[in-house]
Every structure is written in structure tokens, then in C-alpha cells.
Amino acid sequence: MTSTRQTVRRGIIDALPLFIPAIPFAFVLGVTILHAPLSALVGWSSSWVIYGGASQLTLITLLSDGAAVAAAVMAALIVNARHLMYSAALAPAFQQQPAWFRWVGSYFLIDQVFALCVLRKHLPPEEFRAYYLATGLTFWLLWCAATGLAIIIGPTIPSEWGLGFTVPVMFTALVVMGIDRWPKAAAALIAAAVTFLAADLPHRSGLLLGAAAGIVFGLLYEGSRK
Amino acid sequence: MSGLIAIVIAGLGTYTSRALFILALANRRIPHGVSVAMEYVGPSVLAALVVALLTAPGQGGLPGAAELVALLVATLLAWKTRNHLLTLALAMLVFWALGALL
């Protein structure tokens, strides 16, 4: 029992520093929700219904932008497609877990939880479960609290500050930090160029066309290397 | 109302992407083509999103110089420092400074 308690404490301590980069993100999301054609409560509910910062920001920005609901949802789900990789990588560790934990644990599988828990997938099942739940619940509580707080203090910020611009800045930072090889930079530039050229398509569907162009370039490039 | 529906559908889809292999396909591998495509999803979608935001209807086509310079600064800072908070803070300072000057 003491060992479980230590594992839980370890999980919480490991999670806290990884939450720091999410704080400006929570703030930007809060500002976006306040400017969106949604009630603050519905906007905040995305923090626990979807529970994924980049996809929440994608969905709510596109909805505020007048995109069709289908296009906005599609874009948010494409942003979240990377979770399939996490799910596949952790599936063997989850095979030794009870059914309730496979259902509940899946909900908490965000980038940071994956990064921490994939390193401990060979722990004994009870310890893995304790560590996973400790990191998962820590991030979840902090994220719901931080986005809620951002929505509450957001209205005190004057609109002349142009804080809406924090959204493209945050996404730019995410693009750049996700690029580890030049073909990914090329894919990002192609996606940007095609989206720009397709800006007049209805319901903001140029975004999906641009994203598809970048992904197709990646597939063609990787295919040509074989 | 449509906002709530969008959030719920996106939530169900997101849960499915997290649970699919853990709950249903534990013995399957992701096909090679799909995992290659997923590598390129992040940079492509997010770059497209930045452009979509800058060319939003009602902002009058091209983004202004303050926006472009600030995003260039953000790109360099994100690349060199990998620090979200610093990138956000300095890019916004550049945006405000240029907005006041131009």
C-alpha cells in the first residue's frame, strides 16, 4: 500500500512541471471561448467533453469563424488523430488491466500522460494503474481549473489588447515545435500555401484542403524514399 | 446549440481515437501508410489553421504587417527556445509595438 502511495505521489510530481506549457494555452482557449458564439459554460464543457487543448482551440476558433459545424468537427478530429498512435503503443500494457480501467484510462490519454506513462509500461499492473491515474487526474483537474479560471478573468482584459491574436501565435509555436525534419517543414508550408489560395472556398473548407495537401506531400515524399 | 453538438461529437470522436486500440484492436498494428500520414497531420493541419485564422472573413483578405512580423518572431523563438510562454509573450509584445507604431 505504501508503494502505491509513493507511485501516486511520483505521478503527481512528474505531472506538475509538464503542465506549465499548458497554462498559456488554457488562457488563450479561455479568451477564444469568450469571443465565440457559445455560452461560457458550453465552451468550458469542451475541457472535459473533448479534453485536448489543440483540438478544443481548433473547434472553437473555427466555429467562431463561421465554419460549418461538420468542417470544424472534422478539423478538430484530424488534430486528434495522433491519439491513435498512443492508443496502439499502450494497448499491450492495458491488456493486463481490468476492463473498467481500459475504459476510464482511455479518456485520460493526452500527450503528456502518454509521454510519462509509456516510459513505465513495464511496471507491475497495479503500479502502472496507480501512476497512470495519478498523472491523468492531475492534468485533468489542472486543465479544467485553468480553462475555467481563464474564462472568469478574461472579461477583465480590455478588447483593444487584441488578445485574439494569441491564437495564431500559439498554433505557430505548436507547428514549429512539432517539426523535427525538413519534410515536415515543407508539408507545413505547402498546407499554408494551399489554404491561402483556397481561402474563398465556402464554410472555411480551404483549411481541410490545405491540410490534405500537406499530408499528401508527406506520403509522396516518404513513398519516394523506398 | 450547434456549438454544444459540435463539442459532443468532437468529444466522442476524440475518445474513440484514444480508446480504439486499447479497447478493441489490442492485437492489431497501425498500417504503415496510416502511421506515416499521422506524422504529417500535426504540421499540416496547424499550419493550415494559422493561415485560415489570418485570412478570416471580415479581416479583409491579407493580414497586416504587424501580424506577419509577430508570427515570424514567434517562429524563430519557438524554433530556438522551445518555450511556449516566452514565444507567446515576446510575439505579443512585437504585435503591440508594431500596432502602435504603424
Side-chain angles (χ1 to χ4, degrees):
Chain A
M1 202 58 213
T2 14
S3 134
T4 308
R5 191 173 295 171
Q6 277 169 357
T7 309
V8 167
R9 186 182 303 166
R10 182 80 252 159
I12 294 170
I13 290 171
D14 288 351
L16 290 176
L18 282 188
F19 189 73
I20 295 171
I23 295 170
F25 225 99
F27 173 76
V28 171
L29 181 64
V31 172
T32 311
I33 287 172
L34 286 171
H35 292 114
L38 303 167
S39 76
L41 194 63
V42 167
W44 177 73
S45 77
S46 67
S47 281
W48 46 273
V49 175
I50 302 175
Y51 188 38
S55 58
Q56 286 172 254
L57 198 51
T58 303
L59 181 75
I60 291 168
T61 330
L62 285 174
L63 288 177
S64 328
D65 222 29
V69 168
V73 170
M74 182 88 86
L77 290 181
I78 297 173
V79 168
N80 273 342
R82 68 187 185 286
H83 294 114
L84 286 167
M85 292 189 283
Y86 304 161
S87 185
L90 287 182
F94 271 90
Q95 282 319 97
Q96 307 159 23
Q97 297 290 346
W100 71 265
F101 181 64
R102 292 206 291 272
W103 285 90
V104 172
S106 295
Y107 170 72
F108 292 111
L109 190 51
I110 60 169
D111 302 270
Q112 294 91 331
V113 169
F114 173 75
L116 289 173
C117 293
V118 75
L119 302 173
R120 285 165 181 80
K121 63 180 176 180
H122 300 300
L123 283 179
E126 320 78 74
E127 277 201 51
F128 176 81
R129 192 161 66 238
Y131 186 82
Y132 189 100
L133 286 175
T135 54
L137 277 170
T138 304
F139 280 120
W140 184 80
L141 283 172
L142 289 172
W143 180 247
C144 291
T147 49
L149 197 65
I151 292 171
I152 292 168
I153 59 172
T156 61
I157 299 166
S159 65
E160 306 87 70
W161 288 15
L163 282 188
F165 188 63
T166 52
V167 179
V169 170
M170 251 4 233
F171 277 125
T172 301
L174 276 186
V175 176
V176 173
M177 291 185 201
I179 288 173
D180 50 6
R181 296 181 286 133
W182 74 262
K184 288 193 189 171
L189 288 174
I190 289 168
V194 171
T195 307
F196 182 73
L197 294 175
D200 292 332
L201 288 184
H203 308 306
R204 313 295 285 149
S205 51
L207 166 87
L208 295 178
L209 197 64
I215 296 166
V216 167
F217 164 81
L219 284 171
L220 291 176
Y221 169 79
E222 300 287 344
S224 72
R225 292 204 312 165
K226 278 198 225 107
Chain B
M1 191 58 200
S2 66
L4 184 61
I5 292 169
I7 288 172
V8 169
I9 299 173
L12 289 173
T14 302
Y15 181 78
T16 305
S17 72
R18 288 170 178 156
L20 188 66
F21 285 88
I22 289 173
L23 286 176
L25 303 174
N27 302 313
R28 305 281 184 80
R29 291 269 147 261
I30 297 180
H32 179 69
V34 176
S35 64
V36 170
M38 274 194 285
E39 287 256 307
Y40 286 88
V41 163
S44 302
V45 180
L46 297 176
L49 202 59
V50 171
V51 174
L53 291 176
L54 294 177
T55 55
Q59 293 199 355
L62 280 169
E67 279 91 346
L68 288 179
V69 174
L71 285 185
L72 202 62
V73 169
T75 303
L76 287 172
L77 283 169
W79 184 33
K80 289 292 177 196
T81 70
R82 315 236 137 216
N83 183 330
H84 284 95
L85 196 57
L86 188 73
T87 303
L88 183 66
L90 289 182
M92 287 309 287
L93 279 179
V94 169
F95 174 62
W96 286 324
L98 286 177
L101 289 174
L102 296 177

